[in-house]
Amino acid sequence: MFNTFKGGMHIPDHKELTSGKPIKALDGDKVHIYPLQQHIGAPLEAKVQKGDYVRVGQVLADSDAFVSTPVHSSVSGTVTDIKPYLHPSGAKVTAVFVENDFTYEKYEGIKPYNIEDMTKEEMLSVVRNAGIVGMGGAGFPTHVKLSPPQEKEIKYLIINCAECEPYITADHRRMIEDPDSIVDGIGIVLKILGLDTAYVGIEKNKPDAIKVMNEKASIAGNIKVCPLKTKYPQGAEKQLIYAITKKQVPSGGLPADVGAIVMNVDTVSQISKTFRTGMPLIKRVVTVSGDAIENPSNFEVYTGVTFQYLIDNAGGFSKDVRKLVMGGPMMGIAQYSTEPPVVKTTSSILALSEEGGNYDDYSPCIRCGMCVEHCPMNLMPLYLSKFSVNNELEKAEEYNILDCIECGLCSYLCPGKQGPLHNIRIAKQKIIENRRKNK
Amino acid sequence: MEHKLLVSSSPHIHQNESIASIMLDVIIALIPASLMGVYYFGYKAAVVIITAIAASVLSEYAYQKITKKTTTVSDLSAIVTGLLLALNLPVTIPLWMVVIGSAFAIIIVKQLYGGLGKNFMNPALAARCFMVIAWGGAMSAFVEPFVGYGADAISQATPLGVLKGISEGTIPSVNDAFFGVKPGTIGETSGAMLLLGGLYLLYKRVISWHIPTIYILSFGVLTYFLGNNNTQLSQLNFTLLSICTGGLLLGAIFMATDYVTTPTTKRGQVVFAVGCGLLTFVIRRYGSYPEGASFAILLMNIATPLIDRYIKPKKFGYVKKK
């Protein structure tokens, strides 16, 4: 028996395209583009000016707000421009352009930290100043996550290696190729939280990663590897916490309410690198895959390169692309251009030849109930969708629409291709807006 | 290469299943029982089946043309309705009745309520009940299997009527009843073929085991303990005969599992199935009709919105209100 949750289902994952491909380190591009919004939280202010010379690891933008983290240059060179530019979210966001001089001169003052002598507060400020955010895709500032409210007792540190989204293998490869940084990073986070044990949840479709992590865990002694059933959305925060602790995060609550903190494996690995070398978050692993990519690959890249640069390095497109996605195919963001830059939360770039998600030509709901049967939050998406279309927001709330985690399984399963999640999102947004207005 | 990129909200992939593929699976699952019907009752059965399907599809096409709606004939649901209705008819039925019944199913029961997905009763079942009420004689003019080949077939009572003691005739063995050598509608005579179709639907995950199993079980238990009014048969024999005769299997496997008119939650489906079993038993045991499955399922169809409203899954992270 493997740990899991109720609902969900296994969907074809296509991970075989890249799961056997070692992470290839890519050189930087000629120009790197750094949007000033790469996290959830307060906006940043540019700290450099056009014409400035910047070095690797230098802060480009920062903010005084607690819920924010700085953005750093991943290359050395001259700031050529600061202007709005296409962000993976689809909006235009102010971005700093740095022309790479390919010398990779390190910013002064970047040196390893001595963890033994540091207080919890000092360590948290290192995490913040290194610009570390949840690298699984959410982009929530890590130092905020590691500072839960005083009254919440944290008992579980859970490392999310489920990687339940199809296609993506970045975390998988990280576990196989660089387990030591993960183990080291876990040790650092445990010290910050004052805990003894971390739980590492890995889907059982990655037996090689489970084996490696088990070996490392038996040496380290502070890690418990928990194999998980291969099922989407096993890596969703609430579902993962339940699978490992059998505790349900209360509706509207946070993981801290059941004493849990969940971190992405790549984030933990970055924490190790930051403390051991002093270098902030300037690189990440990106899976470039999909049926329309010539040579699907896992890359380690400097942030700020364009998607086009990664696609070129993966051999370009092999056939007509109908959909380009940043992130997984279930929750990622569709792109209308190959020009946005890789940001801290870019876990993958997918080029798909099918245009799945075109809801113009849909059939009626035949109440097959598949969305109800598989909803990981035990909701009734068919009714939520209907209430949204009819603008019956009160009923939608009564049917717990705000509990939806937007995993997309209902839309994936719907034989009528109705896109219930699309409708649910619209209603959720309206409800949240109304609440804000009435405050 | 110029790429026209589509932007839409996630998810960006979908499973292949469509409404037409589900309907096709149901049609495939009904083929064994249909072939058996033709084998037992002759080419006339095939004529009834084809007439019902053609009338259903044409009704849908004509209605949607006249009301200027998008034609949805390609989703195959009208074919399923026509086929199911035909399997619910005796082979001796006049063809004009078949045409009117099919049109009733498609236009009155399905399209007037908004088309596929909006109808609150199973169209084929509602049409069958309409026909039973409108043309009681023609709808109960059953013949023995293989007799249909001959020119002048003599109407026979169904084993159900005989079991109930309201008509004269021979009671088949459980074996004959299960494999189909007995008078009845075109599709209901062979329990074995219906089960085969049901297994196919289970395998293709079009239906789950809940409704058919619980429906048949609840009906069986009630019949075993309260149903036997025939002194010549043992409790078990009577129960098995009751399950294998009449429209129970056809109803439990193909009608009570209709997505549109049944609850969407598993717990709701259990309530629905128990209700079907109970009502079928009550109608067969105490009502004036020998057959109860159709009316029982229709009544539970009507109760479905209520069941779905009150039996909801408990949401993840549910907190008791203080």
Side-chain angles (χ1 to χ4, degrees):
Chain A
M1 267 306 282
F2 291 91
N3 297 318
T4 193
F5 62 99
K6 190 180 156 286
M9 79 174 292
H10 178 55
I11 54 185
D13 57 27
H14 305 289
K15 289 185 192 280
E16 69 287 349
L17 290 172
T18 50
S19 61
K21 301 223 175 135
I23 299 169
K24 188 179 161 197
L26 288 188
D27 194 6
D29 200 0
K30 288 189 198 81
V31 177
H32 282 236
I33 303 152
Y34 304 96
L36 301 192
Q37 188 76 47
Q38 305 199 18
H39 62 272
I40 294 175
L44 303 184
E45 210 178 285
K47 298 288 179 194
V48 291
Q49 287 176 343
K50 198 169 161 179
D52 284 2
Y53 184 79
V54 295
R55 295 172 176 80
V56 180
Q58 184 171 346
V59 172
L60 295 177
D62 205 346
S63 153
D64 294 332
F66 176 63
V67 186
S68 73
T69 82
V71 169
H72 302 82
S73 181
S74 58
V75 295
S76 59
T78 312
V79 176
T80 55
D81 215 341
I82 300 176
K83 63 178 181 192
Y85 187 76
L86 187 55
H87 187 274
S89 70
K92 282 204 169 171
V93 170
T94 305
V96 175
F97 290 66
V98 177
E99 197 176 88
N100 190 358
D101 67 3
F102 292 95
T103 61
Y104 297 99
E105 198 179 315
K106 231 197 280 179
Y107 187 57
E108 60 265 28
I110 288 189
K111 57 177 196 308
Y113 294 90
N114 189 354
I115 298 168
E116 308 310 318
D117 305 335
M118 294 176 82
T119 65
K120 182 185 160 183
E121 283 67 32
E122 285 168 341
M123 292 173 82
L124 282 173
S125 87
V126 168
V127 171
R128 186 204 173 274
N129 293 332
I132 300 175
V133 300
M135 291 165 76
F140 190 70
T142 300
H143 68 281
V144 182
K145 194 175 239 184
L146 293 178
S147 319
Q150 285 291 319
E151 67 275 13
K152 310 275 186 205
E153 191 202 346
I154 299 300
K155 284 176 281 187
Y156 308 97
L157 171 64
I158 296 169
I159 309 301
N160 189 351
C161 313
E163 205 165 49
C164 59
E165 278 266 17
Y167 291 104
I168 311 180
T169 55
D171 291 351
H172 183 186
R173 292 309 306 179
R174 171 76 81 190
M175 284 187 278
I176 294 173
E177 295 179 38
D178 190 15
D180 293 320
S181 77
I182 299 169
V183 172
D184 185 52
I186 289 173
I188 295 169
V189 177
L190 285 174
K191 184 167 188 283
I192 293 175
L193 293 173
L195 293 176
D196 310 324
T197 315
Y199 300 83
V200 175
I202 310 174
E203 276 191 346
K204 64 174 178 176
N205 64 348
K206 301 180 251 301
D208 44 355
I210 293 175
K211 188 165 162 265
V212 170
M213 291 308 293
N214 259 328
E215 281 164 13
K216 296 291 174 188
S218 65
I219 300 166
N222 56 1
I223 294 171
K224 199 169 171 289
V225 176
C226 311
L228 308 167
K229 196 171 168 186
T230 307
K231 184 165 97 170
Y232 184 85
Q234 187 66 75
E237 197 167 58
K238 291 175 178 181
Q239 279 62 31
L240 182 66
I241 293 170
Y242 181 76
I244 290 176
T245 69
K246 291 288 165 246
K247 291 199 167 87
Q248 293 193 359
V249 177
S251 171
L254 292 168
D257 291 330
V258 291
I261 283 181
V262 180
M263 293 182 74
N264 171 265
V265 60
D266 219 16
T267 313
V268 175
S269 167
Q270 178 62 46
I271 287 173
S272 161
K273 289 193 176 77
T274 292
F275 278 92
R276 300 306 169 192
T277 65
M279 191 55 83
L281 198 179
I282 56 161
K283 282 189 213 174
R284 68 156 300 141
V285 180
V286 181
T287 299
V288 181
S289 190
D291 65 331
I293 288 286
E294 181 66 39
N295 183 18
S297 313
N298 297 300
F299 293 128
E300 187 180 48
V301 295
Y302 293 102
T303 54
V305 296
T306 62
F307 292 174
Q308 184 65 51
Y309 179 74
L310 292 189
I311 292 161
D312 290 342
N313 273 286
F317 296 131
S318 58
K319 52 179 151 178
D320 203 23
V321 181
R322 301 297 288 142
K323 207 147 201 189
L324 186 73
V325 179
M326 182 188 95
M330 295 298 285
M331 293 185 77
I333 309 166
Q335 307 292 318
Y336 61 84
S337 160
T338 57
E339 293 311 317
V342 168
V343 292
K344 294 173 184 178
T345 51
T346 307
S347 54
S348 74
I349 293 163
L350 305 177
L352 307 172
S353 64
E354 294 287 319
E355 64 179 37
N358 185 352
Y359 302 127
D360 291 342
D361 181 28
Y362 61 84
S363 314
C365 172
I366 55 166
R367 297 169 40 86
C368 68
M370 270 198 284
C371 56
V372 177
E373 188 180 343
H374 294 285
C375 176
M377 296 305 286
N378 297 346
L379 306 179
M380 300 173 98
L382 80 158
Y383 290 116
L384 297 178
S385 178
K386 192 179 90 178
F387 296 147
S388 172
V389 171
N390 297 345
N391 207 22
E392 296 173 289
L393 299 181
E394 274 175 24
K395 272 191 180 165
E397 272 195 82
E398 190 192 316
Y399 276 66
N400 307 314
I401 194 167
L402 294 179
D403 285 276
C404 169
I405 58 169
E406 305 189 10
C407 71
L409 207 48
C410 50
S411 294
Y412 171 83
L413 288 167
C414 184
K417 313 287 178 249
Q418 290 234 322
L421 175 56
H422 186 77
N423 296 334
I424 290 170
R425 278 200 184 105
I426 292 170
K428 273 175 85 173
Q429 216 155 4
K430 282 185 193 165
I431 291 169
I432 291 167
E433 258 168 42
N434 287 348
R435 280 192 183 178
R436 232 177 250 155
K437 267 186 226 154
N438 295 339
K439 243 179 198 172
Chain B
M1 214 189 307
E2 190 62 29
H3 299 279
K4 250 193 177 172
L5 297 177
L6 180 86
V7 174
S8 66
S9 69
S10 65
H12 308 294
I13 50 174
H14 295 91
Q15 68 165 351
N16 294 328
E17 204 163 80
S18 67
I19 290 174
S21 76
I22 292 171
M23 294 297 165
L24 185 64
D25 275 335
V26 177
I27 294 169
I28 292 171
L30 284 168
I31 285 176
S34 309
L35 288 179
M36 211 59 173
V38 175
Y39 172 68
Y40 284 141
F41 299 113
Y43 75 94
K44 278 185 190 163
V47 174
V48 171
I49 291 173
I50 290 164
T51 307
I53 290 176
S56 296
V57 173
L58 281 176
S59 304
E60 180 145 303
Y61 183 77
Y63 180 88
Q64 288 172 334
K65 273 284 160 216
I66 291 164
T67 56
K68 299 195 167 62
K69 290 201 171 85
T70 325
T71 314
T72 57
V73 171
S74 60
D75 69 20
L76 307 184
S77 66
I79 297 182
V80 171
T81 299
L83 180 54
L84 274 175
L85 178 62
L87 297 183
N88 270 295
L89 302 174
V91 69
T92 52
I93 188 94
L95 291 182
W96 64 270
M97 289 184 190
V98 178
V99 172
I100 291 177
S102 304
F104 180 87
I106 295 293
I107 294 171
I108 309 284
V109 188
K110 186 175 159 190
Q111 292 300 343
L112 284 187
Y113 284 93
L116 181 65
K118 306 285 193 336
N119 51 295
F120 68 95
M121 289 194 287
N122 184 313
L125 264 188
R128 174 196 151 103
C129 291
F130 159 75
M131 293 170 79
V132 166
I133 296 164
W135 304 298
M139 284 296 286
S140 54
F142 299 108
V143 291
E144 281 281 357
F146 307 116
V147 180
Y149 289 113
D152 39 31
I154 304 153
S155 286
Q156 296 279 324
T158 59
L160 257 190
V162 183
L163 270 180
K164 195 170 173 141
I166 59 173
S167 38
E168 296 279 316
T170 46
I171 293 172
S173 70
V174 173
N175 222 4
D176 278 355
F178 182 65
F179 287 101
V181 192
K182 61 172 189 283
T185 71
I186 294 169
E188 74 186 18
T189 61
S190 176
M193 292 298 143
L194 292 170
L195 275 184
L196 191 67
L199 288 176
Y200 173 77
L201 290 183
L202 272 181
Y203 168 73
K204 296 287 274 184
R205 297 189 179 205
V206 172
I207 63 170
S208 69
W209 59 270
H210 300 76
I211 291 181
T213 316
I214 294 169
Y215 182 178
I216 295 166
L217 265 183
S218 57
F219 171 80
V221 168
L222 285 167
T223 305
Y224 185 85
F225 289 107
L226 302 167
N228 192 354
N229 54 358
N230 187 314
T231 45
Q232 288 157 15
L233 291 168
S234 72
Q235 303 284 86
L236 187 64
N237 253 340
F238 183 86
T239 307
L240 288 177
L241 275 172
S242 299
I243 290 172
C244 293
T245 54
L248 183 69
L249 288 178
L250 182 59
I253 296 170
F254 291 99
M255 313 283 220
T257 55
D258 170 28
Y259 292 147
V260 178
T261 53
T262 52
T264 53
T265 62
K266 287 281 168 286
R267 280 193 302 151
Q269 288 171 7
V270 171
V271 172
F272 177 91
V274 170
C276 285
L278 177 72
L279 286 174
T280 307
F281 167 76
V282 169
I283 296 168
R284 279 196 186 178
R285 179 75 176 83
Y286 305 107
S288 56
Y289 284 103
E291 175 57 287
S294 316
F295 286 108
I297 297 170
L298 277 187
L299 285 171
M300 290 313 290
N301 283 168
I302 295 167
T304 291
L306 211 60
I307 295 174
D308 247 13
R309 180 173 306 166
Y310 288 104
I311 302 185
K312 287 187 236 165
K314 197 162 114 188
K315 73 174 180 185
F316 186 97
Y318 173 80
V319 193
K320 246 191 195 162
K321 285 210 179 85
K322 279 165 201 157

